[in-house]
Amino acid sequence: MFIPDKVPTNLRAKVAQLIAPVDTFAKLHQVQDKESKKLIPFDPLPMQEKIFEAVEQGHNRIAVIKARQVAATTGCKLVLHHMAYKTPHEAMFALLSMREDSASALLDDNKRWLDDLPTLLQRPIKTKARNRIIYGDTGACIKSFTSRSTTGLRSFQPQACVVSEAAFAPDLEEVIAQADAAVGEGLLLLESTANVPGDHFSQIVQGAPENGWKVISLWWWEHPAYQDDDSMIPADFTLTDGEKQLQQLYGLTRNQLHWRRRKSKTIGEHKFRREYPACLDDCFLGREGGYYGEEILTDVQVVDFNLHGTRTGREIEAPHRQDRYVMGVDIGGGVGGDYSALCVVSVATMQPVYTERNNTVTPAQWAHRCIQVATRYNNAMILAESNNHGHAFLLELNNCSYRNQWMSGKNKPWVTTLQSKLDALDTLREALPVIKIMDRVTWMELRALTIPQGKIAPEAPKGQHDDCAIAMALAYRCLRDIPSTYRTSAVSSTRTRIDDLISASRARRIRSHSLPF
């Protein structure tokens, strides 16, 4: 660890204790007060304490998902500032933001912090330019980059990298690939509010910790500033039923609930939940104007795929011997792009019971997999498109003599057109009030579907997928044509089975602790 030469020998041990931990080093600096805009001594906020703790624990892949104005960006910049100060090597530390002007603006605090340190700890600065800071004694530097750059960090080898507002990068997957290769075993720190359901940032957050990322969150009700003084609360302030549920769920005070009501009236309930999330699901609310509104998806019990033993699919319920099933299938090319997906739905309960997707198998191989799943689910009726890759898929189904396939009134297979796609998606919309349980991947895709300007049919956000959503829509379109003879004595136990599914998924969630929140 580097200690300035001007520090007397008898003080070097104490200085080392002062600057070694990031939290004590950070307290030597000043930050801007949010309300008064004046500089005040740094006192770590809860979000910053979580970031410092994760770094001190040695995590080298950290993703911070945050509410607005919780000072996460300042915490991340202080981590870089601390690492650059204490390294004895000519090392580089990178700070990435979406635009060039915001990237250079992020360095303003780091430049000012150079003068905040006690005179004994201040060091010579070789360069203090718009996009870089270079120490004159060690050569260590902090540089800012834009995530829009096509070359990014390819020519650099930083010891640590912070990506600010990562979810809004034009191609976050490429940014992370470059940064991961550049830092190696060094620190890669992402911080962002959520953007789009199903985007690469949401995949990182929801895949942790199995994907190697340490995820840190701070919900709005954990932030001490988000509450009103008693003087602001009128005497006749009473809680709504929804506010009472939130109070019970998160242990909220009247001061917090009054602040929440006031803020949500200002920016709208939807925007409040997105900008000031109370839980992970709030972070990835569907965008306003979503094809499937929040009101019809909010009551669905979401099941995380990693709660189940299978790696290839997401089984919500095993086959019921007295039930019948239908399967919707979306077919991709199997070359690492769009996914092939399937969704199995119970005729008796009208609930999805199994989903699976894969983007590495050919249409013929996917046909074999669908036959395996359909056979297990009592020879489920399969509805798959016949155009594009569907031709090879249906040909293989017929070659394997799997005959339980959906056919139109004219004995023709399903052809995906604009009209038929809307028919399937609208059929799913009608079924959604009945659906009580769903896997998270499909749920996220449904929330993300919107109709782009100038178009008629909904689409996934650019760079994202809707394969599971389409497979589910096809399954319910198939279910619509199921004859009454398919319904069996299992119908009488529908209510119990649905309740059992939801209770079991909640119990597995509690036991698994799969998410780090």
Side-chain angles (χ1 to χ4, degrees):
M1 181 177 62
F2 181 83
I3 298 176
D5 293 337
K6 59 183 177 181
V7 175
T9 303
N10 62 325
L11 294 179
R12 297 181 74 86
K14 291 185 178 180
V15 168
Q17 292 177 352
L18 183 65
I19 66 176
V22 60
D23 56 343
T24 56
F25 177 78
K27 292 177 182 178
L28 299 174
H29 302 82
Q30 291 184 318
V31 293
Q32 190 180 62
D33 179 62
K34 178 183 175 182
E35 301 297 333
S36 66
K37 307 302 180 184
K38 295 180 180 179
L39 294 178
I40 59 174
F42 178 74
D43 184 18
L45 293 169
M47 181 85 268
Q48 295 163 337
E49 290 177 342
K50 289 186 177 185
I51 294 171
F52 295 163
E53 182 180 0
V55 172
E56 292 290 349
Q57 288 175 349
H59 296 285
N60 65 354
R61 295 295 182 270
I62 302 173
V64 180
I65 184 167
K66 61 181 185 178
R68 292 287 187 185
Q69 303 298 322
V70 294
T73 304
T74 300
C76 294
K77 292 192 298 183
L78 276 166
V79 169
L80 279 194
H81 181 61
H82 175 246
M83 296 179 73
Y85 184 91
K86 73 175 186 177
T87 180
H89 308 295
E90 190 177 349
M92 192 264 279
F93 302 87
L95 181 58
L96 273 72
S97 186
M98 186 168 66
R99 302 189 313 273
E100 185 175 357
D101 56 345
S102 63
S104 58
L106 286 174
L107 271 184
D108 289 345
D109 281 336
N110 293 81
K111 296 171 187 174
R112 180 174 50 76
W113 288 335
L114 298 172
D115 300 324
D116 283 352
L117 291 169
T119 304
L120 190 64
L121 298 182
Q122 291 183 11
R123 296 165 50 187
I125 303 300
K126 178 181 179 181
T127 302
K128 188 160 61 173
R130 181 176 58 87
N131 65 340
R132 70 189 63 195
I133 300 170
I134 304 177
Y135 285 100
D137 40 19
T138 61
C141 69
I142 304 176
K143 291 185 178 180
S144 64
F145 298 84
T146 171
S147 55
R148 291 181 180 271
S149 171
T150 55
T151 55
L153 296 173
R154 290 186 183 276
S155 301
F156 302 92
Q157 291 183 311
Q159 281 194 3
C161 176
V162 169
V163 183
S164 180
E165 290 297 350
F168 297 87
D171 188 351
L172 179 60
E173 190 169 5
E174 178 62 23
V175 169
I176 291 178
Q178 292 182 18
D180 182 81
V183 302
E185 295 302 315
L187 173 65
L188 177 54
L189 180 54
L190 313 179
E191 62 90 3
S192 185
T193 49
N195 184 18
V196 177
D199 66 5
H200 192 63
F201 184 67
S202 71
Q203 293 171 20
I204 288 174
V205 170
Q206 295 180 70
E210 288 81 2
N211 58 9
W213 287 87
K214 166 70 174 178
V215 174
I216 304 172
S217 65
L218 187 86
W219 311 128
W220 75 264
W221 45 270
E222 297 179 274
H223 193 53
Y226 293 156
Q227 55 184 316
D228 284 338
D229 294 332
D230 290 335
S231 60
M232 299 178 64
I233 305 176
D236 60 350
F237 177 67
T238 57
L239 303 181
T240 65
D241 291 341
E243 289 170 339
K244 289 178 181 178
Q245 292 179 358
L246 291 173
Q247 184 181 45
Q248 184 176 10
L249 190 59
Y250 303 118
L252 304 182
T253 65
R254 285 170 53 85
N255 305 70
Q256 291 174 305
L257 288 166
H258 188 268
W259 177 88
R260 185 192 187 282
R261 183 188 294 184
R262 182 171 56 83
K263 195 70 175 179
S264 61
K265 283 183 177 179
T266 302
I267 64 176
E269 178 69 19
H270 183 93
K271 280 190 171 65
F272 177 87
R273 290 182 61 191
R274 188 184 64 195
E275 302 296 332
Y276 299 91
C279 61
L280 183 63
D281 290 344
D282 283 353
C283 293
F284 301 110
L285 286 176
R287 294 174 295 177
E288 287 184 290
Y291 192 74
Y292 297 108
E294 173 67 17
E295 67 280 359
I296 61 175
L297 287 170
T298 189
D299 293 330
V300 176
Q301 174 70 27
V302 181
V303 179
D304 292 288
F305 69 90
N306 54 357
L307 298 181
H308 307 292
T310 176
R311 292 185 177 181
T312 56
R314 294 175 275 278
E315 181 180 283
I316 298 174
E317 183 187 46
H320 191 282
R321 63 186 182 85
Q322 292 181 308
D323 203 353
R324 298 291 188 101
Y325 297 90
V326 295
M327 177 191 291
V329 181
D330 189 59
I331 304 111
V335 291
D338 285 342
Y339 284 86
S340 294
L342 66 86
C343 175
V344 181
V345 173
S346 162
V347 174
T349 66
M350 295 185 67
Q351 305 301 307
V353 295
Y354 184 89
T355 57
E356 183 173 335
R357 69 175 185 169
N358 193 309
N359 66 349
T360 61
V361 297
T362 65
Q365 291 171 326
W366 187 238
H368 296 166
R369 179 57 186 161
C370 288
I371 291 173
Q372 289 177 329
V373 176
T375 301
R376 181 169 182 261
Y377 280 91
N378 303 342
N379 292 319
M381 179 177 286
I382 295 177
L383 190 159
E385 66 175 359
S386 59
N387 44 337
N388 301 321
H389 300 296
H391 177 74
F393 175 88
L394 293 177
L395 180 63
E396 192 63 22
L397 281 188
N398 293 326
N399 289 340
C400 295
S401 300
Y402 193 88
R403 304 303 183 193
N404 197 15
Q405 302 176 37
W406 179 94
M407 292 291 174
S408 69
K410 297 181 179 180
N411 201 34
K412 298 290 185 181
W414 179 271
V415 178
T416 298
T417 63
L418 176 61
Q419 183 177 359
S420 66
K421 181 179 180 180
L422 289 172
D423 182 27
L425 292 171
D426 287 343
T427 300
L428 176 58
R429 186 200 301 276
E430 294 174 2
L432 277 171
V434 180
I435 300 174
K436 302 300 182 184
I437 192 166
M438 188 185 302
D439 72 285
R440 185 172 294 277
V441 172
T442 306
W443 185 71
M444 295 289 286
E445 288 186 1
L446 291 175
R447 299 182 86 164
L449 288 177
T450 56
I451 302 177
Q453 187 174 3
K455 294 190 177 182
I456 299 175
E459 298 178 1
K462 184 179 179 181
Q464 306 309 315
H465 302 283
D466 62 0
D467 314 280
C468 290
I470 295 299
M472 177 172 283
L474 292 176
Y476 281 91
R477 178 60 184 83
C478 183
L479 182 65
R480 196 177 83 187
D481 293 341
I482 288 298
S484 58
T485 54
Y486 256 45
R487 303 187 179 275
T488 69
S489 59
V491 174
S492 62
S493 64
T494 295
R495 176 69 183 175
T496 302
R497 285 175 58 192
I498 295 174
D499 290 341
D500 288 345
L501 289 182
I502 295 174
S503 297
S505 70
R506 286 173 175 166
R508 283 194 298 266
R509 182 190 296 271
I510 293 171
R511 289 196 302 267
S512 67
H513 299 290
S514 60
L515 294 175
F517 306 109

